[in-house]
Amino acid sequence: MPTTLPSAFTQIDLDSGALAGSANVVHRLNEVGDWLLNVCRKEAVVLATIRLRVREDGTQLSASVDLSAAEIAGSTRYLGDPTLELTVRKGAYLRLHASSGQAGLFAVLRSAKDESVVWDSRQLVSSDLFVFLPLRPGHYLLANLITPAECGIAVLYPDPRDSIGKRLKNPDSMHLKVGTNFPVKTMNLMPGQGVILDTRGPARFTFVLQTPDNGPLDLADWRKAQDQKAWATLLAKHRQ
Amino acid sequence: MSDVMFSVNENTFKAVFNKLYPTVKLPFDGSNALGPVWFGVEGEVHLENAGDIDFEDSDTFFLSEQKIGWDKLVLRLGFNLPTITVGKFCVLRMPDDAPILGGECLVEFPGGELFGGNPDIGPIVLNLNAIIPYVVSEISGRYKIGIRKDGDYQKIYADVQAIDVHPISVQDTVGKLPGLVQAAVYAASYQMLALIPYTWLVDVVLGLLGFPTITQYLLNLLDIESDMEAWLMKVLNQSIGVDNLLYEQIFNAVLSKDEVFKIDDPYPFVPEITAKTADYGGFPKPVLTPTFKIPKVAALVENASVRFDEDNMIVSFDFGMI
């Protein structure tokens, strides 16, 4: 049966403060204690709560939370009941993402003791990571809305004529340290080349398509000719 | 020496066999998955005349070149495309010299997966009815002859011992097969495009797969390397194993066949006769019973046997008293 295309392939514009598609945020849990992670879509509307225990002797060095799965689980719980409980080691990394939906979700980390806010995924802090996967070819604007800073990114069209007989490999991810400004003004990426933005200050990143690149105009004719050639070769063998 | 002995020669036996053994339509179906491609078949065959029958020593005969007639042949294809993971990479890795988990990935970006269905494409139907006149298949078999009492008869049966379904041969002399295969590949292409509805994503996926077009990728999955007749024969004979499917149907069909010959038992010499009394003499007065019955004359069939002797089937039996 046909499968539904995952949102990582369909969500083009990305926002570190409204997670959807391939947008991921990684935050390090440096303080021992009990914490509540609120999953939200709008200000002051908590959709689900996850209880996090950070311990010196915890065994888990990382944890992954799917905010959209938590939202679905939260819809059947009493408000405030945790949908998930996680225990991790001090210094563990928390990866947040949203595997479905396109509206965008964010998370707020609070102290379980007094519910004071200690971290909000809408404003990344130093050493947080914003990780995403550009796929759709085109020209994008990568921006930090807080500093503000901008970087132009071109996701190159994978012209099949450049790779005849070759099998492309997933390209190595691009790792950038981002302070007040981006280290480069422009850069080129291959579709499926991951980007890791390592923040060195407050940040909210957006990655927005400016101009789509639909590939060379003569590509459709080239494809048609390739197919005709393949069929002609087979038919010639059939007639022999 | 038996009381009665008669022989039937090979030609007569073959004529009788060919009148009795061709079967009505035998439906069959089956499927098999071979790597990323699933094949299914649905067909209907009947047995036609035997090409040759050879009497062997003792009580068996060998039948060869018995044609299988095709009434229906439909092939179904499904593609379970290999899952493609795009953009899976390690975000944070422990330093190689860390005391624990040195070099291990702590945070992994899972990327996105395509083609997780089972099957992703299909079923695509290849209606091969247009080429069934060019599908050549035949069987050979060894049968054992025997005679058994059944009701008021001694019946001579040909009991199947072994059947060999020969590999199917396709001789597409009119060249209809390429069109059918092309139509199927186009149908599969449309279904694949529905899974990846963006042209740019198609090119990303094809780049990762190493093929310039979807058509060429599907032809590669189908393993159509040489001509299409050879491909179809490989699919039917090896991938699906049609010979095994046919074997079962044909074996059961010939197993249920009636006798080849039968002999009355008791064997009648003279039937019962109703005679007119007047026909038997000049009676002075009218007789009270104008008719009377002369009972039938018959004998039991005993020590019945059947065997082959060179080119003849010899049937012999004795008469016994009723």
Side-chain angles (χ1 to χ4, degrees), chain A residues 14-28:
Chain A
L14 305 172
D15 183 346
S16 66
L19 297 180
S22 71
N24 281 229
V25 160
V26 180
H27 176 68
R28 194 165 193 193

Side-chain angles (χ1 to χ4, degrees), chain A residues 34-54:
Chain A
D34 287 2
W35 313 96
L36 300 173
L37 185 77
N38 293 149
V39 177
C40 313
R41 190 182 301 284
K42 289 177 183 168
E43 192 74 49
V45 179
V46 176
L47 303 168
T49 298
I50 292 154
R51 182 178 289 275
L52 280 171
R53 295 189 186 91
V54 182

Side-chain angles (χ1 to χ4, degrees), chain A residues 19-87:
Chain A
L19 297 180
S22 71
N24 281 229
V25 160
V26 180
H27 176 68
R28 194 165 193 193
L29 300 165
N30 285 318
E31 283 190 49
V32 170
D34 287 2
W35 313 96
L36 300 173
L37 185 77
N38 293 149
V39 177
C40 313
R41 190 182 301 284
K42 289 177 183 168
E43 192 74 49
V45 179
V46 176
L47 303 168
T49 298
I50 292 154
R51 182 178 289 275
L52 280 171
R53 295 189 186 91
V54 182
R55 300 286 184 263
E56 290 279 3
D57 58 353
T59 53
Q60 292 287 105
L61 294 175
S62 67
S64 174
V65 173
D66 182 348
L67 300 185
S68 48
E71 180 190 4
I72 293 164
S75 64
T76 58
R77 301 281 178 120
Y78 288 112
L79 198 63
D81 276 3
T83 56
L84 185 68
E85 298 197 8
L86 295 168
T87 303

Side-chain angles (χ1 to χ4, degrees), chain A residues 1-3 5-6 9-10 12 22 24 26 61-62 93 95 129 131 133 135-137 157-158 160 166-168 170 173 191-192 194 196 219 222-223 226-227 230-231 234-235 237-238, chain B residues 85-87 89 91-92 101 106-110 112-114 117 119 172 178 182 185-186 195 197-201 203-204 207-208 210 212-213 215-216 219 224-229:
Chain A
M1 290 294 290
T3 50
L5 210 55
F9 294 95
T10 56
I12 306 297
S22 71
N24 281 229
V26 180
L61 294 175
S62 67
Y93 292 94
R95 180 172 74 89
L129 305 175
V131 187
L133 190 72
L135 277 166
R136 203 253 181 271
Y157 198 91
K166 281 186 270 178
R167 194 172 174 151
L168 298 178
N170 278 316
S173 54
I196 304 168
L219 198 52
W222 179 82
R223 269 196 217 97
Q226 286 287 308
D227 281 349
W231 284 118
L234 269 178
L235 288 172
K237 284 179 183 170
H238 186 79
Chain B
T85 304
V86 182
F89 58 91
V91 176
L92 281 166
L101 300 172
L106 282 182
V107 179
E108 187 174 66
F109 184 84
E113 284 194 347
L114 283 171
D172 178 28
Q182 261 181 312
V185 171
Y186 285 146
L195 296 175
Y198 310 113
T199 308
W200 58 267
L201 189 53
D203 280 323
V204 171
L208 291 169
T213 67
T215 299
Q216 292 189 39
L219 286 173
I224 305 183
E225 288 174 352
S226 58
D227 66 287
M228 292 183 209
E229 285 172 353

